[in-house]
Amino acid sequence: MVYRNKKVARSSDPRYFDLRTEKMVQGGDGMARLPDGRVCFVQGALPGELCRVELTFQKKDFTRGRVVGVVEPSADRVAPRCPLYGKCGGCSLQHLDSQKQAEYMARVERENFRRLAHADLPDDFVIHVGNSWGYRNRARVVLQFARGGECSGFAFREQESNALIPFENCPVLTPALNAFLQGPARNIFAPGSSSRRSSRPGEVSLNIFDNGKGEVSYFYRGMPKEEFEKHSVSVVEIGGRKIESDASVFFQSNLGLLPELVQSVRSAVDEGLSSGSASNDWLIDLFSGVGFFAALLQDKFKRITTVERDEGCLKHAGVNLSVTGSGNTAVENVSAPAEEWLASHVVDIPATLIVDPPRTGLPGEALDAIVRSSVKRLIYVSCDPVTLARDYAKLAVAGFKLERAEGFAFYPQTPHLEMLFVLSR
Ligand SMILES: C[S@@+](CC[C@H](N)C(=O)[O-])C[C@H]1O[C@@H](n2cnc3c(N)ncnc32)[C@H](O)[C@@H]1O
């Protein structure tokens, strides 16, 4: 048996159990059962394994625990690569062989969908896979400063506890981002520079972005305008287009695999247009960020509307969807909550509708408005399969059928997955 902590090896201690994992569940935990029948969600346990588990949380109907020793390991267990595994909270699936992660996630998503949406994912559901390490081109880090004002290091902020986890090299960040942190980032606030640190003297939250060519842009709150223009704005080349963005707003964080998602969205649009289930009269891109999907589909439509809540995206959407580059397409970029825009605009033609909401999924008003509209084909890009399944269940009641489902392993070593659903009615 491999124990992480010898002190907890005593089987007589009532907080510890040897548990056999039945399966992996959404979020990456292993599911096992205590001798009293209660379910235990075990962090770090793989299906089939027998693990020594320390209970960390107990309720009447379920419990949580963490692996403190592996009695019978799975053949797919590997040694975590990062020394911060289990501490940083970011890459909690590192104990599972990278080559197997998509297979496990596919099983989890099939079950998740059955449980939450009472439907089956299509037989041909696949997960597209890219690089397992060094893939992440966007991150938020905290720069830390010593008394004398010099940068003393950087850290991730743990989401749940707010604690700072210092690191030197993060193996999922792109090499350019790691190199930036080791070098130029340390000098941003060096004495004599025009950069200004805000209220908390000991630390600064910094968004960093690698545009795929190793050019790194950054953003921090309170950044002076000239510095923003010089160091925050970036251009990404994708699908033969240049897309402008900046490090303060949302942009996709796995540029290596992004072309495959773009290709799948393009073919979903093409199928809709050629089958007649959607018209080329109007493309509506909701939760549009800097107009990412709309810009890549601009050549196919007579009219385009993008709707995004974050005003900082608007100027980029204007550049990315400039009318001059697009022949006769009429473009309207709106800064508003998508649900409000949908509820107050009558969509009475079979427009092509793309939605790409945050993890919370589609707001209820947006779902209602889609159901009431004349939209027959919906392309739903999701970064949370749980809210996607919930929203699908409501759309299914309103007559939408799932034509195609694809997964995209945008966040290897973590239990997160990007999904694409193509729905029609
Ligand atoms: C997952 S991102 C997708 C952005 C874009 N489609 C892309 O691929 O770059 C979700 C976007 O929705 C925006 N957002 C969040 N809630 C919103 C809302 N209620 N209405 C409109 N936009 C919203 C966020 O600011 C973010 O830009």
Side-chain angles (χ1 to χ4, degrees), residues 66-303:
R66 66 185 184 96
V67 172
V68 292
V70 183
V71 187
E72 290 174 19
S74 158
D76 298 332
R77 176 171 285 276
V78 294
R81 181 192 281 204
C82 178
L84 293 180
Y85 169 79
K87 295 186 188 128
C88 137
C91 295
S92 58
L93 266 197
Q94 282 182 68
H95 55 283
L96 174 59
D97 184 349
S98 300
Q99 304 304 315
K100 298 280 179 160
Q101 289 178 8
E103 190 185 314
Y104 277 64
M105 304 271 270
R107 230 173 284 142
V108 169
E109 294 322 331
R110 283 191 184 284
E111 182 173 325
N112 162 55
F113 199 55
R114 225 171 279 136
R115 189 171 52 85
L116 297 174
H118 308 292
D120 284 320
L121 283 177
D123 289 343
D124 59 1
F125 170 67
V126 287
I127 295 184
H128 299 251
V129 179
N131 289 339
S132 306
W133 302 96
Y135 61 82
R136 198 180 165 100
N137 53 276
R138 182 171 162 260
R140 174 171 295 171
V141 300
V142 175
L143 293 186
Q144 296 176 295
F145 297 90
R147 282 247 170 90
E150 69 277 15
C151 179
S152 57
F154 32 85
F156 286 124
R157 192 179 292 286
E158 230 259 331
Q159 268 181 4
E160 276 166 26
S161 67
N162 223 15
L164 289 181
I165 318 286
F167 69 98
E168 286 182 2
N169 184 76
C170 169
V172 296
L173 292 186
T174 62
L177 288 187
N178 274 311
F180 178 75
L181 290 174
Q182 301 293 346
R186 291 174 176 268
N187 297 322
I188 295 176
F189 299 98
S193 93
S194 60
S195 305
R196 278 180 242 132
R197 282 196 269 140
S198 55
S199 49
R200 278 186 121 164
E203 58 186 62
V204 171
S205 281
L206 191 73
N207 294 359
I208 50 176
F209 180 76
D210 168 1
N211 71 349
K213 289 186 171 170
E215 294 161 1
V216 176
S217 48
Y218 62 87
F219 171 79
Y220 60 91
R221 235 171 231 261
M223 193 172 188
K225 194 168 180 300
E226 321 78 68
E227 193 185 352
F228 179 88
E229 296 300 337
K230 197 165 165 204
H231 292 294
S232 212
V233 178
S234 61
V235 174
V236 175
E237 277 189 56
I238 195 154
R241 295 273 312 226
K242 290 189 168 151
I243 309 284
E244 181 187 287
S245 184
D246 73 64
S248 76
V249 298
F250 177 89
F251 203 86
Q252 303 284 352
S253 52
N254 188 328
L255 291 181
L257 198 51
L258 189 57
E260 292 194 31
L261 172 62
V262 168
Q263 189 46 48
S264 292
V265 169
R266 278 185 84 92
S267 34
V269 167
D270 287 342
E271 282 159 22
L273 297 180
S274 59
S275 69
S277 67
S279 82
N280 70 346
D281 287 332
W282 197 6
L283 168 68
I284 304 171
D285 181 0
L286 298 183
F287 308 90
S288 51
V290 296
F292 180 72
F293 288 116
L296 294 163
L297 294 163
Q298 193 169 359
D299 51 319
K300 298 177 189 294
F301 292 92
K302 295 180 190 155
R303 173 185 177 193

